[in-house]
């Protein structure tokens, strides 16, 4: 599950900037908007998908829907070269794909007998998947082509079908209450009042994001 989860991302995310700049001749601003789609989606989809998953559907079924839907978006991104079409497709894909990180990790944690000891050994397969995907793209010299998007689409639909056969984890039965608070995760927002949690989130979303952004900028300039 985690191997495929990160292979999907690693297939297209690093080299698509090269493809957009050098092959489609998008402007730097346009490429920035494409890569910023993930950040925009981060404000939209996790709350909504988390609410739906907890209350109505099992994580495996939602994962299947999101990955199969994502594969359709990736095929469309492969087919279209106009920014005015490519960007909305990227944004839609990001909305579908981004929640799968939390869902897949949550699903794995629920399956393990001792998550604190077993999860690191499982999670490392995500990093292995990222490395495998990057090496496939590099060995085939696909950096300046749209082929990584097609590879990612194939992996995405594979994981979507695979998710349909995963053991079912029932949705969480919640007591009746304020659905608005549940949807906007008021309990989570209140965690920001805790100093330790606030420092952690600032470090994760800001300090961690800065070197990652420079890394992708470096790769896209030299590939």
């Amino acid at each position: 599950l985690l191997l495929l989860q990160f292979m999907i991302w690693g297939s297209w995310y690093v080299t698509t900037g090269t493809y957009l700049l050098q092959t489609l001749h998008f402007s730097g601003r346009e490429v920035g908007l494409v890569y910023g789609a993930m950040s925009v989606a981060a404000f939209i989809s996790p709350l909504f998908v988390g609410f739906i998953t907890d209350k109505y559907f099992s994580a495996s079924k939602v994962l299947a829907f999101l990955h199969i839907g994502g594969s359709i978006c990736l095929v469309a991104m492969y087919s279209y070269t106009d920014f005015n079409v490519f960007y909305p497709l990227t944004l839609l894909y990001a909305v579908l794909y981004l929640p799968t990180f939390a869902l897949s990790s949550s699903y794995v944690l629920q399956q393990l007998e001792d998550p604190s000891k077993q999860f690191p050994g499982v999670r490392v397969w995500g990093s292995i998947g990222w490395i495998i995907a990057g090496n496939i793209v590099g060995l085939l010299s696909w950096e300046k082509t749209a082929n990584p998007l097609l590879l990612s689409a194939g992996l995405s639909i594979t994981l979507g079908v695979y998710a349909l056969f995963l053991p079912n984890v029932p949705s969480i039965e919640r007591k009746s209450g304020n659905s608005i608070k549940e949807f906007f995760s008021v309990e989570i927002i209140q965690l920001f009042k805790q100093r330790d949690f606030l420092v952690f989130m600032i470090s994760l979303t800001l300090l961690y994001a800065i070197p990652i952004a420079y890394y992708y900028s470096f790769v896209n300039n030299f590939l």
Side-chain angles (χ1 to χ4, degrees):
L1 176 60
L2 294 187
L3 178 78
L4 289 172
Q5 173 72 37
F6 281 83
M7 281 189 73
I8 292 168
W9 191 25
S11 297
W12 71 272
Y13 193 70
V14 175
T15 60
T16 295
T18 304
Y19 164 65
L20 298 179
L21 286 169
Q22 299 186 24
T23 303
L24 299 187
H25 304 293
F26 282 13
S27 68
R29 175 181 175 276
E30 289 171 338
V31 174
L33 287 172
V34 168
Y35 273 84
M38 283 286 190
S39 299
V40 175
F43 287 97
I44 304 171
S45 53
L47 295 177
F48 176 76
V49 173
F51 176 76
I52 293 296
T53 304
D54 284 348
K55 201 168 181 65
Y56 301 108
F57 301 102
S58 66
S60 57
K61 299 299 187 294
V62 176
L63 275 172
F65 171 80
L66 294 175
H67 280 300
I68 292 174
S71 69
I72 296 172
C73 290
L74 287 163
V75 171
M77 290 162 62
Y78 171 84
S79 304
Y80 289 95
T81 58
D82 182 81
F83 173 77
N84 293 324
V85 180
F86 191 91
Y87 176 69
L89 288 171
T90 305
L91 184 58
L92 177 58
Y93 174 70
V95 169
L96 292 172
Y97 178 69
L98 196 65
T100 62
F101 284 110
L103 286 175
S104 58
S105 295
S106 175
Y107 181 85
V108 169
L109 288 168
Q110 292 181 66
Q111 299 296 315
L112 299 177
E113 295 180 0
D114 190 350
S116 62
K117 293 182 178 179
Q118 295 174 310
F119 185 72
V122 177
R123 171 57 185 82
V124 74
W125 284 98
S127 299
I128 292 173
W130 175 281
I131 294 168
I132 292 173
N135 276 284
I136 291 173
V137 172
L139 289 172
L140 296 175
S141 299
W142 281 355
E143 293 88 349
K144 297 180 182 180
T145 73
N147 290 337
L149 294 169
L150 205 58
L151 172 62
S152 185
L155 293 168
S156 188
I157 197 168
T158 299
L159 182 50
V161 173
Y162 173 69
L164 291 172
F165 296 93
L166 290 172
N168 187 50
V169 176
S171 58
I172 299 172
E173 294 293 335
R174 293 184 179 273
K175 297 179 180 179
S176 59
N178 191 328
S179 59
I180 299 298
K181 285 187 175 181
E182 288 182 0
F183 180 80
F184 287 102
S185 301
V186 173
E187 295 87 352
I188 300 298
I189 294 173
Q190 289 176 345
L191 288 173
F192 283 92
K193 296 179 181 179
Q194 301 178 21
R195 182 175 177 273
D196 291 345
F197 184 80
L198 180 61
V199 171
F200 170 74
M201 291 305 297
I202 291 174
S203 301
L204 182 65
T205 59
L206 180 60
L207 301 181
Y208 174 73
I210 291 173
I212 289 294
Y214 275 103
Y215 166 71
Y216 290 126
S217 175
F218 175 84
V219 169
N220 288 329
N221 283 327
F222 287 94
L223 282 178

